[in-house]
Amino acid sequence: MATTVSNRRQFLSLLGLSAVAVSCGTATGATSGKGQTKTLRYQGWAGQVTLPELAEDLGYLEDVKLKWIGNTISGPQDIQSAATGQVDFGGAFNGAVVKLAANGAPIKAVISYYGSDKYAYNGFYVLEDSPIRSARDLIGKKVGMNTLGAHSEAMLDIYLQRGGLSRAEAGKVEPLVVPPVNAEQTLRQKQIDVSVLGGILRDKALAAGGIRPLFTDYQLLGAFSAGTYVMTDRFLKQNPDTARVFVTGVGRAIEWARSTAHDDVVARMADIVKKRGRNEDTAPLKYWRSFGVAERAGRITGKELQLWIDWLAERGDIKKDRVALADLYTNKFNAASSPATSGS
């Protein structure tokens, strides 16, 4: 399918535009006179509580405040917004972070914020009576996911490759963009053959019955941190203390959620959603189980980025010599990653 191949290349073009915008000086980073900014602009997720929002509510961000400017449904869009200075931090799948950096955007990953474990994972679901049972059964089928060129498409490609499909055969599997809030309904109405579901939306759909997993990212790769928050090099240089408060606060929130009783975490999240007054349903929050971050307080080891440097280079999406792992991330702003400081 020519259109499928085209769609798989559109993401790289978008990242190229972002890099051009950054190189032209549009990424400014918010500042407060000669001092460091104490307000961080960000995008949220409808009906969900992000780790920075949780950290702020817990008081871990100290005198730094978050300023919500709207919601996103796409990690790549979120980090593009960070790269071009529309927000002060953004989060995405690590493969998307690598792509953006490979295209010249001066960004740096500062902390892991989501991943896969036995509780937090993305599954590729089909209807209970679907004939799809293997990778080869996906040829000619439609797979709905929140965005192309990111986590879900990477997992799909790995699954197809391990299933023995050639590149030509894999190209006949059609990934389509379906907003997460519509993913379950779109599958049940048979507008797509497979739907990627994760987190509270996955567990809500499973509770309703009638669907089964084809595979999950946890089955493919085991427990791993999958995405990082990024900030621009310029922002980090201009606002090092603010960055340290933010990253450390998010790290502490990760450990708080890990060590706190499930019902208490859910209650806190529901309270946050109610207080922000965006007319959101808090009921699905009860399905939350974990953020899935593998390392203590979101510390980045490098292996979670190197995996995607290798994978993207093998696909021909980036040139390997355009990305230096050491330049992609830093842990120096994360004071919560040591055992002595990661508690509540």
Side-chain angles (χ1 to χ4, degrees):
M1 289 186 179
T3 55
T4 300
V5 175
S6 176
N7 285 338
R8 292 188 177 193
R9 295 291 177 262
Q10 284 177 6
F11 178 67
L12 194 57
S13 298
L14 287 172
L15 292 179
L17 292 174
S18 292
V20 170
V22 172
S23 66
C24 291
T26 57
T28 58
T31 58
S32 178
K34 294 182 179 180
Q36 298 179 39
T37 183
K38 296 295 184 181
T39 302
L40 299 179
R41 300 161 297 156
Y42 79 104
Q43 297 182 115
W45 290 78
Q48 300 181 40
V49 175
T50 67
L51 274 165
E53 290 170 331
L54 179 60
E56 182 179 46
D57 192 70
L58 289 166
Y60 294 164
L61 298 189
E62 302 175 11
D63 60 346
V64 174
K65 303 298 181 185
L66 300 180
K67 182 179 180 181
W68 176 72
I69 66 166
N71 287 329
T72 183
I73 61 167
S74 161
Q77 185 277 332
D78 200 29
I79 60 172
Q80 287 175 52
S81 295
T84 54
Q86 298 170 65
V87 295
D88 297 310
F89 66 88
F93 160 61
N94 284 326
V97 172
V98 170
K99 274 188 177 183
L100 191 55
N103 275 271
I107 57 168
K108 201 171 295 290
V110 292
I111 188 169
S112 294
Y113 74 99
Y114 88 91
S116 293
D117 60 20
K118 62 182 179 180
Y119 299 114
Y121 58 87
N122 286 308
F124 286 65
Y125 289 88
V126 297
L127 295 177
E128 193 69 55
D129 59 355
S130 171
I132 298 173
R133 298 281 176 178
S134 69
R136 190 157 296 279
D137 293 335
L138 288 175
I139 295 175
K141 300 299 190 293
K142 297 177 180 180
V143 183
M145 56 189 65
N146 72 313
T147 190
L148 302 182
H151 183 111
S152 295
E153 190 172 3
M155 296 303 129
L156 176 61
D157 280 358
I158 291 172
Y159 178 72
L160 297 177
Q161 183 181 44
R162 291 185 181 180
L165 273 67
S166 66
R167 283 188 177 271
E169 290 171 328
K172 296 177 182 178
V173 181
E174 186 176 4
L176 296 172
V177 175
V178 178
V181 293
N182 303 125
E184 177 188 354
Q185 180 182 13
T186 305
L187 175 65
R188 294 189 188 280
Q189 291 178 343
K190 299 184 178 181
Q191 296 174 354
I192 54 177
D193 303 287
V194 185
S195 182
V196 181
L197 298 168
I200 58 179
L201 296 177
R202 175 202 67 220
D203 289 344
K204 180 174 177 288
L206 286 172
I211 64 173
R212 58 176 171 82
L214 180 62
F215 70 94
T216 72
D217 52 10
Y218 180 58
Q219 289 172 339
L220 284 181
L221 298 177
F224 67 102
S225 291
T228 47
Y229 282 127
V230 304
M231 290 177 155
T232 63
D233 293 335
R234 180 174 182 175
F235 184 92
L236 292 171
K237 182 178 180 180
Q238 292 179 341
N239 304 281
D241 297 332
T242 299
R244 188 170 292 106
V245 170
F246 169 75
V247 176
T248 298
V250 171
R252 292 180 67 193
I254 291 170
E255 292 308 308
W256 179 88
R258 204 193 304 271
S259 62
T260 302
H262 169 264
D263 289 351
D264 292 339
V265 177
V266 169
R268 189 97 189 200
M269 289 181 170
D271 185 57
I272 293 171
V273 170
K274 290 174 183 175
K275 285 189 297 186
R276 67 193 186 195
R278 300 176 198 164
N279 194 30
E280 299 162 285
D281 181 15
T282 62
L285 288 172
K286 67 183 179 182
Y287 295 106
W288 179 90
R289 289 293 179 272
S290 166
F291 287 108
V293 177
E295 305 298 330
R296 174 182 289 277
R299 182 177 180 83
I300 303 169
T301 66
K303 63 184 180 181
E304 61 273 85
L305 290 161
Q306 187 64 54
L307 172 68
W308 304 111
I309 294 174
D310 297 340
W311 181 75
L312 290 165
E314 183 182 342
R315 280 167 50 103
D317 286 349
I318 66 168
K319 293 183 178 179
K320 201 168 185 178
D321 59 3
R322 291 291 303 274
V323 182
L325 178 62
D327 296 334
L328 268 179
Y329 75 97
T330 180
N331 288 303
K332 75 175 184 178
F333 299 100
N334 192 351
S337 60
S338 64
T341 58
S342 62
S344 59

